[in-house]
Amino acid sequence: MLPGKSGLELCQDIRAKSKIPIIMLTAVADTADRIVGLELGADDYLTKPFDPRELLARIRAVLRRRQDPQLAAPSPTRDLIFAGWKFDVERRRLRDPSGVRVELTRAEFNVLMALVQARGRVLSREQLIERCGGDTSHSFDRSIDILVSRLRRKLDDDPRAPSMIETVRGGGYQFVAEISSE
């Protein structure tokens, strides 16, 4: 509905010249148009009418993703060792200190991977949802709490005295175990 070019054409032109974040705000709510917009380079797509608070949250999320080099970093291809555990990132496997394979769901793997990659840094629940490929507008904070609780149980990490995943009150979680690669 823009004069001269469509928003999709404009998005494609901007993306060809720049990596500037693009959030499309449009009255077109058709799923096909949203998909095309994202495939042409938009970082997010929001239809009218929208809540200004949601727009602000999406702007912040896009900026965080653009500023956080860890999000773009490739996954390590070596096995990671922490507290005797062997985390095979490439094969998506976890083995306990005695070598027994511990099954992880996709979500558990993603949370553990995000925490390990950010070792020593506090990740908020929202950051963990984003790093795990979730949609912060449709996820709820407690889903991360549940995943961390299940991970701690599988890692035998006592939540009252954690040696691997610490809870930071008002902040989120951080991975604190020393990590080496094989």
Side-chain angles (χ1 to χ4, degrees):
M1 295 180 217
L2 296 171
K5 284 188 174 186
S6 74
L8 296 173
E9 291 171 314
L10 188 58
C11 175
Q12 191 173 24
D13 290 349
I14 292 170
R15 185 54 68 225
K17 298 174 189 161
S18 173
K19 292 188 182 276
I20 191 166
I22 300 171
I23 299 177
M24 297 187 79
L25 301 175
T26 179
V28 181
D30 184 55
T31 301
D33 285 319
R34 285 191 304 237
I35 292 168
V36 170
L38 293 167
E39 287 181 348
L40 289 178
D43 295 284
D44 205 347
Y45 194 105
L46 191 59
T47 58
K48 299 175 192 175
F50 56 86
D51 185 317
R53 294 173 299 176
E54 181 180 4
L55 174 60
L56 185 58
R58 287 176 181 267
I59 290 169
R60 287 180 178 145
V62 166
L63 291 175
R64 269 194 314 276
R65 284 192 299 265
R66 290 290 178 153
Q67 293 170 354
D68 192 343
Q70 286 288 3
L71 290 175
S75 300
T77 55
R78 294 185 190 153
D79 293 339
L80 301 175
I81 311 294
F82 54 88
W85 291 79
K86 188 174 182 179
F87 190 36
D88 184 341
V89 176
E90 204 168 271
R91 292 189 186 125
R92 300 178 70 92
R93 292 185 184 152
L94 179 66
R95 296 199 180 274
D96 73 9
S98 64
V100 176
R101 185 172 172 184
V102 176
E103 294 297 325
L104 296 177
T105 65
R106 182 171 36 144
E108 290 166 347
F109 174 88
N110 290 341
V111 168
L112 183 57
M113 189 69 227
L115 288 167
V116 166
Q117 283 182 325
R119 188 199 168 280
R121 289 190 338 218
V122 177
L123 295 179
S124 69
R125 290 172 179 92
E126 186 177 81
Q127 287 173 313
L128 283 167
I129 291 168
E130 287 174 8
R131 287 175 180 234
C132 296
D135 181 356
T136 55
S137 66
H138 292 95
S139 299
F140 63 101
D141 289 354
R142 296 300 170 210
S143 61
I144 291 296
D145 295 341
I146 292 165
L147 287 170
V148 168
S149 176
R150 289 189 344 216
L151 272 173
R152 281 181 174 149
R153 205 169 324 138
K154 289 181 178 184
L155 293 168
D156 297 323
D157 196 22
D158 182 1
R160 283 171 254 137
S163 62
M164 290 180 255
I165 303 172
E166 283 187 356
T167 301
V168 178
R169 288 209 184 275
Y173 297 98
Q174 73 176 339
F175 194 82
V176 294
E178 291 296 320
I179 301 171
S180 61
S181 57
E182 196 174 83

